[in-house]
Amino acid sequence: MNWKRIYHSARLCLITSPTARAKYIKKHEVFYHMGDNCMIMLRKIPLYPRMLSIGDNVWVASNVHFTPHDVIHQMLNNMYEDLVFQENIGCIEIKDNCFIGAHSTILPNIVIGPNVIVAANSLVNKSLKPGGVYGGVPAKYICSLDVLIAKRKEHNDLIVEKKNGELTQETVDKCWKLFLDNQK
C-alpha cells in the first residue's frame, strides 16, 4: 500500500478550492509534471501518479479517472502457469490549454492536446490531436476548437453574477428564463 498516495488523497479532500488542489499537487510534486494556472477537481490520487504530466491552463472536472495501468496481467498469470505477464503501465500527458469533462476516463499511453476539450463521460483510449473537441465512448472528434469558440461567442450574452461563491438570484432567474424560452 502506498501511504504517500493515501496521504496526498486525504490532504486533497481538505482543500476546498480546485485551483489550490492543483497548486498542492505541483508543490509536492505528486505528478510527474503539474503546470501553472490549472484546476483539478479530483481528490483521489491515481495509482502511479508520477505517470501523469499536466500542462499549463488545464482544467479537470469532477470524477475524472486517470488510469495509467491495468491489472489484466494478474488474470493472465492465474490462467497460465508457464507464462509470466507484466503489468501494463503507461504515461498520460495532457498538454497546455485543455479541459477534461466530468466523469471521463483517460487510459495509459495517451497524449491529449494542446488546445483540446474532452466532453463529459468520455473514454479516451487513444491520443487526441491538437485543437479539437472530442467526446463519447470511445472519444471521437466532434469539431474544431474554433467552431466551439464561435458557438460560445454567439451565446455569450448572459452575465453571470455571484455573491459569496453562489449565483445571485438574478442570475438564476435569467438562466431559467433563457432555458424556458429555448424549450418553446
Side-chain angles (χ1 to χ4, degrees), residues 9-154:
S9 291
R11 289 291 308 267
L12 289 180
C13 288
L14 300 173
I15 300 172
T16 57
S17 163
T19 52
R21 274 187 227 116
K23 289 176 184 173
Y24 175 89
I25 289 168
K26 181 177 181 143
K27 178 182 176 184
H28 295 280
E29 297 178 344
V30 176
F31 295 167
Y32 182 77
H33 174 76
M34 183 76 224
D36 295 321
N37 191 35
C38 294
M39 184 218 52
I40 302 280
M41 292 297 293
L42 80 117
R43 289 179 170 89
K44 180 182 169 193
I45 300 295
L47 190 61
Y48 311 134
R50 302 286 296 157
M51 302 303 287
L52 273 67
S53 178
I54 308 281
D56 295 334
N57 195 32
V58 172
W59 295 66
V60 179
S62 299
N63 298 313
V64 171
H65 296 279
F66 295 104
T67 311
H69 68 99
D70 67 34
V71 293
I72 295 170
H73 70 288
Q74 296 286 23
M75 184 269 305
L76 294 174
N77 287 337
N78 289 332
M79 280 179 60
Y80 301 101
E81 292 178 14
D82 57 334
L83 295 172
V84 176
F85 294 90
Q86 297 299 314
E87 182 176 16
N88 179 34
I89 63 169
C91 300
I92 297 172
E93 182 177 21
I94 301 175
K95 303 267 187 171
D96 297 344
N97 306 314
C98 290
F99 174 81
I100 310 298
H103 301 280
S104 292
T105 298
I106 317 300
L107 295 181
N109 296 312
I110 297 295
V111 176
I112 296 176
N115 308 318
V116 165
I117 293 176
V118 175
N121 291 310
S122 294
L123 171 67
V124 181
N125 65 347
K126 63 182 179 189
S127 293
L128 305 179
K129 294 180 182 175
V133 178
Y134 297 84
V137 178
K140 293 188 181 343
Y141 180 81
I142 296 171
C143 66
S144 72
L145 187 59
D146 293 335
V147 168
L148 177 75
I149 290 169
K151 286 180 184 178
R152 286 290 179 106
K153 284 180 181 177
E154 289 174 13

Side-chain angles (χ1 to χ4, degrees), residues 129-179:
K129 294 180 182 175
V133 178
Y134 297 84
V137 178
K140 293 188 181 343
Y141 180 81
I142 296 171
C143 66
S144 72
L145 187 59
D146 293 335
V147 168
L148 177 75
I149 290 169
K151 286 180 184 178
R152 286 290 179 106
K153 284 180 181 177
E154 289 174 13
H155 298 76
N156 205 24
D157 50 358
L158 176 67
I159 297 173
V160 177
E161 298 172 358
K162 296 180 183 179
K163 184 175 181 180
N164 298 327
E166 297 288 329
L167 294 175
T168 64
Q169 187 59 47
E170 293 160 342
T171 298
V172 170
D173 293 340
K174 288 178 193 174
C175 286
W176 275 106
K177 182 179 179 342
L178 285 170
F179 175 75

